[in-house]
Structures are given as C-alpha cells and as structure tokens.
PDB file of all heavy atoms in Angstrom:
ATOM      1  N   GLY A  25      -4.325  32.968  14.295  1.00 87.00           N
ATOM      2  CA  GLY A  25      -4.247  32.945  15.764  1.00 87.00           C
ATOM      3  C   GLY A  25      -5.609  33.184  16.421  1.00 87.00           C
ATOM      4  O   GLY A  25      -5.698  33.153  17.629  1.00 87.00           O
ATOM      5  N   MET A  26      -6.672  33.493  15.684  1.00 88.00           N
ATOM      6  CA  MET A  26      -7.981  33.698  16.268  1.00 88.00           C
ATOM      7  C   MET A  26      -8.684  32.396  16.486  1.00 88.00           C
ATOM      8  O   MET A  26      -8.439  31.414  15.798  1.00 88.00           O
ATOM      9  CB  MET A  26      -8.817  34.633  15.341  1.00 88.00           C
ATOM     10  CG  MET A  26      -8.263  35.960  15.034  1.00 88.00           C
ATOM     11  SD  MET A  26      -8.472  37.092  16.419  1.00 88.00           S
ATOM     12  CE  MET A  26     -10.164  37.548  16.252  1.00 88.00           C
ATOM     13  N   ASN A  27      -9.609  32.359  17.491  1.00 87.00           N
ATOM     14  CA  ASN A  27     -10.433  31.155  17.731  1.00 87.00           C
ATOM     15  C   ASN A  27     -11.665  31.169  16.788  1.00 87.00           C
ATOM     16  O   ASN A  27     -12.382  32.155  16.650  1.00 87.00           O
ATOM     17  CB  ASN A  27     -10.886  31.128  19.141  1.00 87.00           C
ATOM     18  CG  ASN A  27      -9.763  30.707  20.153  1.00 87.00           C
ATOM     19  OD1 ASN A  27      -8.821  30.107  19.738  1.00 87.00           O
ATOM     20  ND2 ASN A  27      -9.960  31.121  21.345  1.00 87.00           N
ATOM     21  N   TYR A  28     -11.818  29.981  16.166  1.00 89.00           N
ATOM     22  CA  TYR A  28     -12.992  29.797  15.326  1.00 89.00           C
ATOM     23  C   TYR A  28     -13.875  28.691  16.070  1.00 89.00           C
ATOM     24  O   TYR A  28     -13.397  28.053  16.940  1.00 89.00           O
ATOM     25  CB  TYR A  28     -12.600  29.278  13.966  1.00 89.00           C
ATOM     26  CG  TYR A  28     -11.917  30.291  13.092  1.00 89.00           C
ATOM     27  CD1 TYR A  28     -10.583  30.693  13.354  1.00 89.00           C
ATOM     28  CD2 TYR A  28     -12.608  30.928  12.009  1.00 89.00           C
ATOM     29  CE1 TYR A  28      -9.989  31.622  12.516  1.00 89.00           C
ATOM     30  CE2 TYR A  28     -11.937  31.832  11.261  1.00 89.00           C
ATOM     31  CZ  TYR A  28     -10.657  32.256  11.513  1.00 89.00           C
ATOM     32  OH  TYR A  28      -9.988  33.155  10.737  1.00 89.00           O
ATOM     33  N   TYR A  29     -15.105  28.570  15.579  1.00 90.00           N
ATOM     34  CA  TYR A  29     -16.050  27.742  16.358  1.00 90.00           C
ATOM     35  C   TYR A  29     -16.752  26.786  15.359  1.00 90.00           C
ATOM     36  O   TYR A  29     -17.079  27.143  14.226  1.00 90.00           O
ATOM     37  CB  TYR A  29     -17.091  28.619  17.058  1.00 90.00           C
ATOM     38  CG  TYR A  29     -16.438  29.627  17.969  1.00 90.00           C
ATOM     39  CD1 TYR A  29     -16.224  30.896  17.554  1.00 90.00           C
ATOM     40  CD2 TYR A  29     -15.968  29.306  19.248  1.00 90.00           C
ATOM     41  CE1 TYR A  29     -15.594  31.868  18.340  1.00 90.00           C
ATOM     42  CE2 TYR A  29     -15.368  30.198  20.069  1.00 90.00           C
ATOM     43  CZ  TYR A  29     -15.186  31.498  19.612  1.00 90.00           C
ATOM     44  OH  TYR A  29     -14.585  32.348  20.426  1.00 90.00           O
ATOM     45  N   LYS A  30     -16.914  25.540  15.888  1.00 90.00           N
ATOM     46  CA  LYS A  30     -17.592  24.491  15.082  1.00 90.00           C
ATOM     47  C   LYS A  30     -18.598  23.805  15.908  1.00 90.00           C
ATOM     48  O   LYS A  30     -18.272  23.339  17.054  1.00 90.00           O
ATOM     49  CB  LYS A  30     -16.551  23.535  14.539  1.00 90.00           C
ATOM     50  CG  LYS A  30     -17.033  22.486  13.623  1.00 90.00           C
ATOM     51  CD  LYS A  30     -17.559  23.137  12.322  1.00 90.00           C
ATOM     52  CE  LYS A  30     -18.050  22.004  11.325  1.00 90.00           C
ATOM     53  NZ  LYS A  30     -18.518  22.602  10.039  1.00 90.00           N
ATOM     54  N   ALA A  31     -19.767  23.566  15.413  1.00 91.00           N
ATOM     55  CA  ALA A  31     -20.842  22.949  16.214  1.00 91.00           C
ATOM     56  C   ALA A  31     -20.787  21.385  15.997  1.00 91.00           C
ATOM     57  O   ALA A  31     -20.455  20.890  14.878  1.00 91.00           O
ATOM     58  CB  ALA A  31     -22.171  23.382  15.798  1.00 91.00           C
ATOM     59  N   SER A  32     -21.076  20.602  17.022  1.00 92.00           N
ATOM     60  CA  SER A  32     -21.205  19.152  16.825  1.00 92.00           C
ATOM     61  C   SER A  32     -22.631  18.794  16.390  1.00 92.00           C
ATOM     62  O   SER A  32     -23.563  19.595  16.558  1.00 92.00           O
ATOM     63  CB  SER A  32     -20.974  18.439  18.215  1.00 92.00           C
ATOM     64  OG  SER A  32     -21.959  18.757  19.137  1.00 92.00           O
ATOM     65  N   LYS A  33     -22.702  17.666  15.726  1.00 93.00           N
ATOM     66  CA  LYS A  33     -23.936  17.219  15.140  1.00 93.00           C
ATOM     67  C   LYS A  33     -24.660  16.198  16.049  1.00 93.00           C
ATOM     68  O   LYS A  33     -23.996  15.254  16.536  1.00 93.00           O
ATOM     69  CB  LYS A  33     -23.809  16.673  13.775  1.00 93.00           C
ATOM     70  CG  LYS A  33     -25.063  16.306  13.008  1.00 93.00           C
ATOM     71  CD  LYS A  33     -24.769  15.798  11.647  1.00 93.00           C
ATOM     72  CE  LYS A  33     -26.118  15.434  10.882  1.00 93.00           C
ATOM     73  NZ  LYS A  33     -25.900  15.003   9.537  1.00 93.00           N
ATOM     74  N   THR A  34     -25.968  16.286  16.185  1.00 94.00           N
ATOM     75  CA  THR A  34     -26.750  15.342  17.050  1.00 94.00           C
ATOM     76  C   THR A  34     -27.963  14.877  16.245  1.00 94.00           C
ATOM     77  O   THR A  34     -28.588  15.626  15.546  1.00 94.00           O
ATOM     78  CB  THR A  34     -27.188  15.949  18.310  1.00 94.00           C
ATOM     79  OG1 THR A  34     -26.034  16.437  19.092  1.00 94.00           O
ATOM     80  CG2 THR A  34     -28.046  15.055  19.194  1.00 94.00           C
ATOM     81  N   ASN A  35     -28.224  13.602  16.390  1.00 96.00           N
ATOM     82  CA  ASN A  35     -29.459  12.980  15.835  1.00 96.00           C
ATOM     83  C   ASN A  35     -30.251  12.438  16.967  1.00 96.00           C
ATOM     84  O   ASN A  35     -29.746  11.821  17.937  1.00 96.00           O
ATOM     85  CB  ASN A  35     -29.102  11.850  14.836  1.00 96.00           C
ATOM     86  CG  ASN A  35     -28.320  12.324  13.677  1.00 96.00           C
ATOM     87  OD1 ASN A  35     -28.576  13.284  13.044  1.00 96.00           O
ATOM     88  ND2 ASN A  35     -27.187  11.652  13.364  1.00 96.00           N
ATOM     89  N   ALA A  36     -31.592  12.619  16.846  1.00 97.00           N
ATOM     90  CA  ALA A  36     -32.424  12.042  17.926  1.00 97.00           C
ATOM     91  C   ALA A  36     -33.775  11.656  17.269  1.00 97.00           C
ATOM     92  O   ALA A  36     -34.225  12.278  16.288  1.00 97.00           O
ATOM     93  CB  ALA A  36     -32.700  13.068  18.991  1.00 97.00           C
ATOM     94  N   PHE A  37     -34.346  10.588  17.734  1.00 97.00           N
ATOM     95  CA  PHE A  37     -35.585  10.024  17.221  1.00 97.00           C
ATOM     96  C   PHE A  37     -36.388   9.354  18.373  1.00 97.00           C
ATOM     97  O   PHE A  37     -35.715   8.718  19.236  1.00 97.00           O
ATOM     98  CB  PHE A  37     -35.326   9.002  16.139  1.00 97.00           C
ATOM     99  CG  PHE A  37     -36.595   8.208  15.698  1.00 97.00           C
ATOM    100  CD1 PHE A  37     -37.463   8.853  14.828  1.00 97.00           C
ATOM    101  CD2 PHE A  37     -36.859   6.987  16.175  1.00 97.00           C
ATOM    102  CE1 PHE A  37     -38.645   8.114  14.502  1.00 97.00           C
ATOM    103  CE2 PHE A  37     -38.018   6.270  15.813  1.00 97.00           C
ATOM    104  CZ  PHE A  37     -38.865   6.833  14.975  1.00 97.00           C
ATOM    105  N   TRP A  38     -37.625   9.537  18.403  1.00 98.00           N
ATOM    106  CA  TRP A  38     -38.497   8.871  19.369  1.00 98.00           C
ATOM    107  C   TRP A  38     -39.818   8.503  18.737  1.00 98.00           C
ATOM    108  O   TRP A  38     -40.307   9.138  17.802  1.00 98.00           O
ATOM    109  CB  TRP A  38     -38.719   9.600  20.640  1.00 98.00           C
ATOM    110  CG  TRP A  38     -39.435  11.010  20.453  1.00 98.00           C
ATOM    111  CD1 TRP A  38     -38.811  12.176  20.394  1.00 98.00           C
ATOM    112  CD2 TRP A  38     -40.820  11.189  20.491  1.00 98.00           C
ATOM    113  NE1 TRP A  38     -39.816  13.176  20.271  1.00 98.00           N
ATOM    114  CE2 TRP A  38     -41.032  12.526  20.330  1.00 98.00           C
ATOM    115  CE3 TRP A  38     -41.963  10.342  20.563  1.00 98.00           C
ATOM    116  CZ2 TRP A  38     -42.310  13.131  20.260  1.00 98.00           C
ATOM    117  CZ3 TRP A  38     -43.176  10.851  20.471  1.00 98.00           C
ATOM    118  CH2 TRP A  38     -43.357  12.263  20.320  1.00 98.00           C
ATOM    119  N   THR A  39     -40.416   7.434  19.289  1.00 98.00           N
ATOM    120  CA  THR A  39     -41.776   7.029  18.894  1.00 98.00           C
ATOM    121  C   THR A  39     -42.537   6.607  20.087  1.00 98.00           C
ATOM    122  O   THR A  39     -42.008   6.069  21.077  1.00 98.00           O
ATOM    123  CB  THR A  39     -41.650   5.941  17.812  1.00 98.00           C
ATOM    124  OG1 THR A  39     -42.971   5.581  17.344  1.00 98.00           O
ATOM    125  CG2 THR A  39     -41.012   4.687  18.415  1.00 98.00           C
ATOM    126  N   GLU A  40     -43.872   6.743  20.003  1.00 97.00           N
ATOM    127  CA  GLU A  40     -44.699   6.403  21.098  1.00 97.00           C
ATOM    128  C   GLU A  40     -46.019   5.786  20.553  1.00 97.00           C
ATOM    129  O   GLU A  40     -46.582   6.333  19.680  1.00 97.00           O
ATOM    130  CB  GLU A  40     -45.044   7.585  22.029  1.00 97.00           C
ATOM    131  CG  GLU A  40     -45.848   7.302  23.272  1.00 97.00           C
ATOM    132  CD  GLU A  40     -46.091   8.533  24.050  1.00 97.00           C
ATOM    133  OE1 GLU A  40     -45.740   9.667  23.609  1.00 97.00           O
ATOM    134  OE2 GLU A  40     -46.682   8.368  25.120  1.00 97.00           O
ATOM    135  N   ILE A  41     -46.486   4.723  21.106  1.00 97.00           N
ATOM    136  CA  ILE A  41     -47.770   4.116  20.686  1.00 97.00           C
ATOM    137  C   ILE A  41     -48.540   3.678  21.964  1.00 97.00           C
ATOM    138  O   ILE A  41     -47.912   3.220  22.937  1.00 97.00           O
ATOM    139  CB  ILE A  41     -47.539   2.828  19.812  1.00 97.00           C
ATOM    140  CG1 ILE A  41     -48.893   2.324  19.302  1.00 97.00           C
ATOM    141  CG2 ILE A  41     -46.709   1.782  20.435  1.00 97.00           C
ATOM    142  CD1 ILE A  41     -48.748   1.321  18.204  1.00 97.00           C
ATOM    143  N   GLY A  42     -49.826   3.922  21.972  1.00 96.00           N
ATOM    144  CA  GLY A  42     -50.602   3.693  23.157  1.00 96.00           C
ATOM    145  C   GLY A  42     -52.062   3.667  22.895  1.00 96.00           C
ATOM    146  O   GLY A  42     -52.548   3.902  21.775  1.00 96.00           O
ATOM    147  N   SER A  43     -52.831   3.471  23.928  1.00 95.00           N
ATOM    148  CA  SER A  43     -54.286   3.352  23.914  1.00 95.00           C
ATOM    149  C   SER A  43     -54.882   4.697  24.298  1.00 95.00           C
ATOM    150  O   SER A  43     -54.342   5.433  25.119  1.00 95.00           O
ATOM    151  CB  SER A  43     -54.772   2.284  24.872  1.00 95.00           C
ATOM    152  OG  SER A  43     -56.180   2.310  25.011  1.00 95.00           O
ATOM    153  N   ASN A  44     -56.048   4.965  23.746  1.00 94.00           N
ATOM    154  CA  ASN A  44     -56.871   6.163  24.056  1.00 94.00           C
ATOM    155  C   ASN A  44     -58.080   5.757  24.877  1.00 94.00           C
ATOM    156  O   ASN A  44     -59.082   6.515  24.958  1.00 94.00           O
ATOM    157  CB  ASN A  44     -57.299   6.910  22.831  1.00 94.00           C
ATOM    158  CG  ASN A  44     -56.213   7.827  22.281  1.00 94.00           C
ATOM    159  OD1 ASN A  44     -55.339   8.376  22.984  1.00 94.00           O
ATOM    160  ND2 ASN A  44     -56.177   7.989  20.946  1.00 94.00           N
ATOM    161  N   HIS A  45     -58.005   4.580  25.508  1.00 93.00           N
ATOM    162  CA  HIS A  45     -59.090   4.092  26.390  1.00 93.00           C
ATOM    163  C   HIS A  45     -59.373   5.124  27.490  1.00 93.00           C
ATOM    164  O   HIS A  45     -58.453   5.714  28.051  1.00 93.00           O
ATOM    165  CB  HIS A  45     -58.812   2.757  26.891  1.00 93.00           C
ATOM    166  CG  HIS A  45     -59.996   2.051  27.476  1.00 93.00           C
ATOM    167  ND1 HIS A  45     -60.406   2.202  28.793  1.00 93.00           N
ATOM    168  CD2 HIS A  45     -60.874   1.129  26.999  1.00 93.00           C
ATOM    169  CE1 HIS A  45     -61.520   1.478  29.035  1.00 93.00           C
ATOM    170  NE2 HIS A  45     -61.732   0.837  27.969  1.00 93.00           N
ATOM    171  N   ALA A  46     -60.637   5.250  27.858  1.00 90.00           N
ATOM    172  CA  ALA A  46     -60.969   6.317  28.839  1.00 90.00           C
ATOM    173  C   ALA A  46     -60.519   5.974  30.231  1.00 90.00           C
ATOM    174  O   ALA A  46     -60.272   6.929  31.044  1.00 90.00           O
ATOM    175  CB  ALA A  46     -62.503   6.445  28.816  1.00 90.00           C
ATOM    176  N   THR A  47     -60.385   4.707  30.610  1.00 92.00           N
ATOM    177  CA  THR A  47     -60.006   4.350  31.953  1.00 92.00           C
ATOM    178  C   THR A  47     -58.593   3.709  32.144  1.00 92.00           C
ATOM    179  O   THR A  47     -57.827   4.086  32.980  1.00 92.00           O
ATOM    180  CB  THR A  47     -61.062   3.388  32.583  1.00 92.00           C
ATOM    181  OG1 THR A  47     -61.180   2.196  31.755  1.00 92.00           O
ATOM    182  CG2 THR A  47     -62.419   4.055  32.731  1.00 92.00           C
ATOM    183  N   VAL A  48     -58.281   2.777  31.320  1.00 92.00           N
ATOM    184  CA  VAL A  48     -57.002   2.165  31.303  1.00 92.00           C
ATOM    185  C   VAL A  48     -56.276   2.354  29.961  1.00 92.00           C
ATOM    186  O   VAL A  48     -56.834   1.941  28.903  1.00 92.00           O
ATOM    187  CB  VAL A  48     -57.046   0.653  31.622  1.00 92.00           C
ATOM    188  CG1 VAL A  48     -55.662   0.033  31.575  1.00 92.00           C
ATOM    189  CG2 VAL A  48     -57.749   0.395  32.899  1.00 92.00           C
ATOM    190  N   ALA A  49     -55.144   3.075  29.932  1.00 92.00           N
ATOM    191  CA  ALA A  49     -54.507   3.478  28.660  1.00 92.00           C
ATOM    192  C   ALA A  49     -53.032   3.219  28.719  1.00 92.00           C
ATOM    193  O   ALA A  49     -52.266   4.153  28.975  1.00 92.00           O
ATOM    194  CB  ALA A  49     -54.856   4.950  28.319  1.00 92.00           C
ATOM    195  N   PRO A  50     -52.587   2.015  28.507  1.00 94.00           N
ATOM    196  CA  PRO A  50     -51.125   1.694  28.442  1.00 94.00           C
ATOM    197  C   PRO A  50     -50.542   2.256  27.240  1.00 94.00           C
ATOM    198  O   PRO A  50     -51.173   2.454  26.228  1.00 94.00           O
ATOM    199  CB  PRO A  50     -51.105   0.179  28.459  1.00 94.00           C
ATOM    200  CG  PRO A  50     -52.395  -0.257  27.817  1.00 94.00           C
ATOM    201  CD  PRO A  50     -53.413   0.738  28.206  1.00 94.00           C
ATOM    202  N   ALA A  51     -49.181   2.548  27.327  1.00 95.00           N
ATOM    203  CA  ALA A  51     -48.427   3.102  26.207  1.00 95.00           C
ATOM    204  C   ALA A  51     -46.967   2.720  26.316  1.00 95.00           C
ATOM    205  O   ALA A  51     -46.472   2.391  27.431  1.00 95.00           O
ATOM    206  CB  ALA A  51     -48.594   4.622  26.108  1.00 95.00           C
ATOM    207  N   VAL A  52     -46.306   2.735  25.197  1.00 96.00           N
ATOM    208  CA  VAL A  52     -44.844   2.447  25.178  1.00 96.00           C
ATOM    209  C   VAL A  52     -44.100   3.549  24.470  1.00 96.00           C
ATOM    210  O   VAL A  52     -44.522   4.059  23.379  1.00 96.00           O
ATOM    211  CB  VAL A  52     -44.533   1.092  24.423  1.00 96.00           C
ATOM    212  CG1 VAL A  52     -43.039   0.853  24.331  1.00 96.00           C
ATOM    213  CG2 VAL A  52     -45.211  -0.061  25.149  1.00 96.00           C
ATOM    214  N   PHE A  53     -42.984   4.007  25.106  1.00 96.00           N
ATOM    215  CA  PHE A  53     -42.216   5.046  24.546  1.00 96.00           C
ATOM    216  C   PHE A  53     -40.777   4.557  24.258  1.00 96.00           C
ATOM    217  O   PHE A  53     -40.201   3.950  25.125  1.00 96.00           O
ATOM    218  CB  PHE A  53     -42.123   6.258  25.567  1.00 96.00           C
ATOM    219  CG  PHE A  53     -41.172   7.377  25.155  1.00 96.00           C
ATOM    220  CD1 PHE A  53     -41.503   8.245  24.147  1.00 96.00           C
ATOM    221  CD2 PHE A  53     -39.939   7.537  25.751  1.00 96.00           C
ATOM    222  CE1 PHE A  53     -40.713   9.353  23.777  1.00 96.00           C
ATOM    223  CE2 PHE A  53     -39.096   8.560  25.412  1.00 96.00           C
ATOM    224  CZ  PHE A  53     -39.466   9.446  24.375  1.00 96.00           C
ATOM    225  N   PHE A  54     -40.299   4.744  23.056  1.00 97.00           N
ATOM    226  CA  PHE A  54     -38.949   4.399  22.707  1.00 97.00           C
ATOM    227  C   PHE A  54     -38.186   5.528  22.063  1.00 97.00           C
ATOM    228  O   PHE A  54     -38.760   6.235  21.234  1.00 97.00           O
ATOM    229  CB  PHE A  54     -38.997   3.207  21.651  1.00 97.00           C
ATOM    230  CG  PHE A  54     -37.602   2.884  21.100  1.00 97.00           C
ATOM    231  CD1 PHE A  54     -36.774   2.096  21.712  1.00 97.00           C
ATOM    232  CD2 PHE A  54     -37.197   3.423  19.862  1.00 97.00           C
ATOM    233  CE1 PHE A  54     -35.496   1.803  21.253  1.00 97.00           C
ATOM    234  CE2 PHE A  54     -35.972   3.123  19.331  1.00 97.00           C
ATOM    235  CZ  PHE A  54     -35.111   2.300  20.026  1.00 97.00           C
ATOM    236  N   ALA A  55     -36.949   5.732  22.494  1.00 97.00           N
ATOM    237  CA  ALA A  55     -36.212   6.854  21.997  1.00 97.00           C
ATOM    238  C   ALA A  55     -34.686   6.479  21.770  1.00 97.00           C
ATOM    239  O   ALA A  55     -34.196   5.606  22.461  1.00 97.00           O
ATOM    240  CB  ALA A  55     -36.268   8.020  23.007  1.00 97.00           C
ATOM    241  N   TYR A  56     -34.060   7.190  20.849  1.00 97.00           N
ATOM    242  CA  TYR A  56     -32.657   6.940  20.559  1.00 97.00           C
ATOM    243  C   TYR A  56     -31.979   8.309  20.167  1.00 97.00           C
ATOM    244  O   TYR A  56     -32.596   9.104  19.470  1.00 97.00           O
ATOM    245  CB  TYR A  56     -32.521   5.981  19.350  1.00 97.00           C
ATOM    246  CG  TYR A  56     -31.155   5.847  18.832  1.00 97.00           C
ATOM    247  CD1 TYR A  56     -30.225   4.982  19.482  1.00 97.00           C
ATOM    248  CD2 TYR A  56     -30.689   6.534  17.714  1.00 97.00           C
ATOM    249  CE1 TYR A  56     -28.908   4.848  19.033  1.00 97.00           C
ATOM    250  CE2 TYR A  56     -29.384   6.448  17.271  1.00 97.00           C
ATOM    251  CZ  TYR A  56     -28.502   5.571  17.877  1.00 97.00           C
ATOM    252  OH  TYR A  56     -27.229   5.429  17.435  1.00 97.00           O
TER     253      TYR A  56
END
C-alpha cells in the first residue's frame, strides 16, 4: 500500500561545428 518511485530514462546528444575565424565565424548546431 506504500508509494514507490521510478525514474524515467532520457537520452540526449548534440554536436556543433564551426569556424574560429577572427571576424566571420559561422557555425552549425544539431541536437537530439
């Protein structure tokens, strides 16, 4: 009759690639 507890599971991933140029530095970020 007591309440017990269970955690849900989550997965997450992200990646980012970009330029280190001093003036113009585009980049792309992707996550799931």
Side-chain angles (χ1 to χ4, degrees):
M26 299 285 284
N27 284 338
Y28 291 73
Y29 306 95
K30 186 68 178 180
S32 67
K33 184 177 180 179
T34 299
N35 300 311
F37 170 80
W38 63 264
T39 183
E40 184 180 6
I41 185 169
S43 168
N44 279 328
H45 194 274
T47 55
V48 179
V52 176
F53 175 76
F54 171 82
Y56 171 82

